[in-house]
Amino acid sequence: MPFWYDETWEGKTRYGCLVRETLYSEKSEFQQIEILDTAHYGPVLVLDGIFMTSAREEHFYHEMLVQPAMAVAPRVANVLIIGGGDGGTAREVLRHPEVERVTLVEIDAKVIEASKRFLPMIGTAWDDPRLELIVGDGIAYVGREDLQLFDVILLDGCDPVGPSAGLFDLAFYQSCAARLAGDGVFATQTESPILLREVFLDIQRTLRQAFGRVTPYFGPAPLYASDQWSWTICSAGVDPLAIHEERAARVEPAMKYYNREIHRAAFALSQDLKRALDD
Ligand code: SPD
């Protein structure tokens, strides 16, 4: 029997999908993992009751997390992904022929296993020889001082609750900044600027303590509460609008959402956020 599955926020709002069938449900060491076959979005990955990604609309999130950073980073040879166990972020990075090595550090092996099995349309680059997969704690990983520096670091985590809470801490952001090459670029998802406005602003304030230049940008994420989503590019001083035209143009034919016009438009700020971020 089909049933409604709702993601609930602060007991005040619910966002739901009609589910045809539960394809997978297991509690890992870290979280409850579910794969639901939904009527509209197809298979959906859910972690601890929160929608993470779906076959039908994942491109909005993954393209927007990855491609703006890849378009403005001076170099993209060596990329680190923290989280991203569904494989969508790695897929987007590996579209770039200049990428020599991608290190993906995901804490939960069961998320990777379930994604490979039920969401193969998202993780299409698992077999790329440039990808090194590490099952481990991303926070501990970036804290290591023996690591090489990265040209780009991408944080593809969950919301600031449960096992992901530490991924929003100043200490973690400072470790990421320390692992970046001098002109390297860090990008992360930074929640809904509408439904979770205070969380969004809080993350911006924390990022500003760790990086010299911090710029949020916006786009749709239909599976997430309130749809309007944000990501943020951080660096010592790289201009987030200085697109490497040739590099961005090369991936555009493969994109469903991102292109250079979207890139420029995504950095526009509402009046409300302009004021809030100036304070
Ligand atoms: N509210 C959900 C936020 C989830 C962000 N990460 C999704 C992971 C997709 N690779």
Side-chain angles (χ1 to χ4, degrees):
M1 271 293 284
F3 62 95
W4 283 94
Y5 190 103
D6 292 330
E7 172 184 299
T8 305
W9 285 94
E10 298 166 335
K12 291 187 277 195
T13 57
R14 290 191 307 182
Y15 297 82
C17 287
L18 184 65
V19 177
R20 290 187 286 227
E21 190 188 349
T22 299
L23 301 172
Y24 174 94
S25 180
E26 191 162 333
K27 191 156 179 59
S28 74
E29 188 187 338
F30 303 100
Q31 54 208 337
Q32 182 69 41
I33 305 168
E34 292 168 284
I35 309 268
L36 308 175
D37 182 25
T38 67
H40 185 69
Y41 290 122
V44 171
L45 170 66
V46 182
L47 297 180
D48 280 342
I50 307 288
F51 298 127
M52 286 295 130
T53 195
S54 78
R56 186 161 172 183
E57 54 69 70
E58 55 86 17
H59 56 279
F60 291 104
Y61 174 90
H62 289 123
E63 291 180 14
M64 288 300 277
L65 171 64
V66 174
Q67 299 305 346
M70 297 297 282
V72 301
R75 281 176 311 284
V76 296
N78 196 11
V79 178
L80 172 66
I81 300 170
I82 299 165
D86 53 61
T89 293
R91 176 200 71 213
E92 288 304 314
V93 172
L94 288 161
R95 290 190 195 284
H96 292 271
E98 293 159 80
V99 171
E100 292 168 10
R101 185 183 177 85
V102 178
T103 307
L104 187 156
V105 185
E106 162 64 50
I107 199 165
D108 198 338
K110 285 193 183 297
V111 170
I112 300 171
E113 282 165 29
S115 299
K116 283 185 173 175
R117 185 165 161 211
F118 295 103
L119 299 167
M121 68 300 280
I122 294 179
T124 54
W126 288 119
D127 295 331
D128 191 309
R130 296 171 292 169
L131 178 62
E132 182 194 8
L133 191 53
I134 297 175
V135 174
D137 181 352
I139 298 174
Y141 188 80
V142 292
R144 281 173 46 182
E145 284 172 11
D146 58 326
L147 289 182
Q148 57 187 323
L149 298 179
F150 295 93
D151 300 315
V152 175
I153 299 179
L154 300 164
L155 173 54
D156 183 12
C158 307
D159 305 292
V161 286
S164 282
L167 298 175
F168 294 81
D169 283 352
L170 176 59
F172 172 69
Y173 293 146
Q174 285 169 329
S175 295
C176 290
R179 297 281 82 75
L180 273 184
D183 49 5
V185 170
F186 171 82
T188 179
Q189 75 90 4
T190 45
E191 302 292 325
S192 167
I194 298 175
L195 181 76
L196 300 170
R197 181 176 177 277
E198 293 315 311
V199 176
F200 164 82
L201 290 173
D202 206 40
I203 300 170
Q204 298 300 312
R205 284 189 280 268
T206 311
L207 287 168
R208 285 175 176 189
Q209 294 176 61
F211 295 92
R213 190 159 185 173
V214 172
T215 318
Y217 58 100
F218 308 92
L223 187 65
Y224 299 161
S226 93
D227 180 33
Q228 166 84 328
W229 210 250
S230 75
W231 301 261
T232 301
I233 282 194
C234 309
S235 67
V238 172
D239 180 353
L241 291 172
I243 298 173
H244 290 246
E245 296 286 333
E246 195 186 327
R247 194 189 295 148
R250 207 187 288 127
V251 295
E252 277 180 7
M255 295 293 105
K256 288 189 190 165
Y257 182 68
Y258 175 84
N259 58 35
R260 283 164 287 171
E261 292 78 35
I262 293 280
H263 183 129
R264 292 182 195 103
F267 285 85
L269 280 174
S270 67
Q271 282 298 96
D272 170 56
L273 291 183
K274 251 187 212 178
R275 277 190 291 265
L277 289 167
D278 278 351
D279 282 349

